[in-house]
Amino acid sequence: MNKTRTQGQARDGARSGALRLLAAVDDGATLDEAGALTDRLAPAERARARRLALEVLRRADRVDLLLAPMLARRPRPEIMRILRLAAVEMLALGEAPHGAVNAAVALARASGRKGQAAAGMVNAVLRKIAGAAEAWARLSPQKMPFWLRAPVVAAWGEDAARAIEAAHEAGAALDLTPKGADCPGEALPTGSHRLPAGTRVSALPGYAAGDWWVQDAAAALAVRVLDPQPGERVADLCAAPGGKTLQLAAAGAEVTAVDISEPRLARVAENLARCGLQARLVAADALDWRPDQPLDAVLLDAPCSATGTIRRHPELPRIRDGAGLAELTGLQARLIDHALDLLKPGGRLVYATCSLLPAEGEDQLAAVLARHPGLVVEPPRAPGVEPDWITPQGGLRLRPDLWPERGGMDGFFIARLRKSAERT
């Protein structure tokens, strides 16, 4: 009995933590920024709180459609969050209705005088929701916001947009990049290894020894397309959190990792040390940094909208509205031009963004080719790259709906560019 009570208390702590995270998102924070709100929870509760918040964010609009006819008027935000959480627990996560409903009522009563007044409504509505499994199954995954959906539909069509939305709801697995041969998980065609979402990273074999690091399979392709060689002088611009720096170093390149954030570079240093790899770390604005001699290659994973990572960060469509895209694409163009200027004649640049927006991918490639007539696009050659991922220009367009049978991948655009061998 005591064990059951303890488990119930842990679940209630995780639910309260999830509600705090969801409130922070409503106020414009990312889940990472809000993480300190769950610091007082035990590690297992903290992890569960984040998982619950993620699942609610992936389905909030879908839940709201189901709740709307059951509500005489829209309740206060804190009560709406409780209703969403309980509905997702029952309809998407298989939680027993009596446990989810009772917990929701208790959370409402604990939220203050107005919450106490709403407890009866919460109980009545959620009992109806518990029997709405068929109606829930008929609802489509929640749509991307218009500012993102419109360009996605224009680029790839309505069916692709719906498939991407389904991938966003399904979430993301845990992908690892191996340093050598030993790595847990299912081996993917591109060389990454995949484990189920929620796998405890630090408990996996090889973590302490630095045999691998966490990195989405799509992100890992940028370095594989660059194909660094031992002894080559390579810069990783905008390097943090450092997965690509680790790949470059593991390939034997002489790597300089440049990032504007010293704290984020400190994390890169920690991962390099864990994996027994070396790179020169430079805290600087990538636009201001120059090497002492021209480089063989540059990897530019440019600042972007991060719309390709929504399956991992479902809060992004709720806290961003597409504003500032013109500023971002302008910065990307300046970074590309600067990166090309750092290369020796015949050197190569890989430009990458974790974005679904053609403005940050295909359009940038077309623009840089127009600005630099001697530049050549080299089609991506890397294990596991499928022909229909390659754009007519020769870039690599990755989307969350690819590999549906394997669990998808992040959205990315990657292009490999070769500078003219003639000195200008």
Side-chain angles (χ1 to χ4, degrees), residues 57-93:
L57 290 166
R58 290 180 179 124
R59 298 168 175 84
D61 293 350
R62 189 175 170 191
V63 169
D64 286 1
L65 288 173
L66 201 60
L67 286 170
M70 302 179 185
L71 297 169
R73 61 180 182 276
R74 190 176 181 87
R76 294 171 61 83
E78 62 270 23
I79 299 301
M80 195 68 188
R81 287 190 287 267
I82 291 171
L83 291 172
R84 287 171 177 161
L85 174 58
V88 167
E89 284 194 274
M90 290 187 288
L91 298 174
L93 304 180

Side-chain angles (χ1 to χ4, degrees), residues 49-262:
R50 185 180 176 92
R51 285 196 298 272
L52 287 172
L54 286 168
E55 298 297 350
V56 172
L57 290 166
R58 290 180 179 124
R59 298 168 175 84
D61 293 350
R62 189 175 170 191
V63 169
D64 286 1
L65 288 173
L66 201 60
L67 286 170
M70 302 179 185
L71 297 169
R73 61 180 182 276
R74 190 176 181 87
R76 294 171 61 83
E78 62 270 23
I79 299 301
M80 195 68 188
R81 287 190 287 267
I82 291 171
L83 291 172
R84 287 171 177 161
L85 174 58
V88 167
E89 284 194 274
M90 290 187 288
L91 298 174
L93 304 180
E95 182 73 27
H98 69 274
V101 173
N102 290 343
V105 171
L107 288 166
R109 286 174 175 159
S111 68
R113 181 175 54 82
K114 292 183 178 179
Q116 292 171 6
M121 179 273 292
V122 168
N123 181 66
V125 168
L126 290 179
R127 288 185 182 279
K128 293 179 184 176
I129 287 289
E134 291 185 8
W136 171 259
R138 290 194 295 269
L139 293 173
S140 299
Q142 67 187 18
K143 291 186 176 182
M144 293 175 278
F146 178 78
W147 63 267
L148 175 56
R149 199 175 201 276
V152 166
V153 171
W156 305 297
E158 178 68 27
D159 288 346
R162 289 178 179 173
I164 289 170
E165 287 160 350
H168 287 166
E169 180 174 294
L174 175 71
D175 290 347
L176 309 178
T177 297
K179 185 174 72 172
D182 295 332
C183 187
E186 173 199 357
L188 299 175
T190 55
S192 296
H193 285 234
R194 177 158 288 181
L195 290 147
T199 301
R200 186 180 167 195
V201 172
S202 60
L204 291 171
Y207 173 79
D211 292 340
W212 46 262
W213 52 91
V214 176
Q215 186 179 30
D216 185 78
L221 273 170
V223 172
R224 293 183 179 128
V225 168
L226 183 67
D227 192 23
Q229 299 300 306
E232 284 191 318
R233 300 181 72 252
V234 182
D236 182 5
L237 303 185
C238 312
K244 299 176 184 67
T245 298
L246 295 171
Q247 285 180 281
L248 294 167
E254 295 180 11
V255 189
T256 302
V258 181
D259 198 273
I260 199 167
S261 169
E262 289 191 20

Side-chain angles (χ1 to χ4, degrees), residues 344-346 374 419-424:
K344 69 181 185 181
K419 189 174 180 178
S420 171
E422 299 179 2
R423 293 186 179 274
T424 57

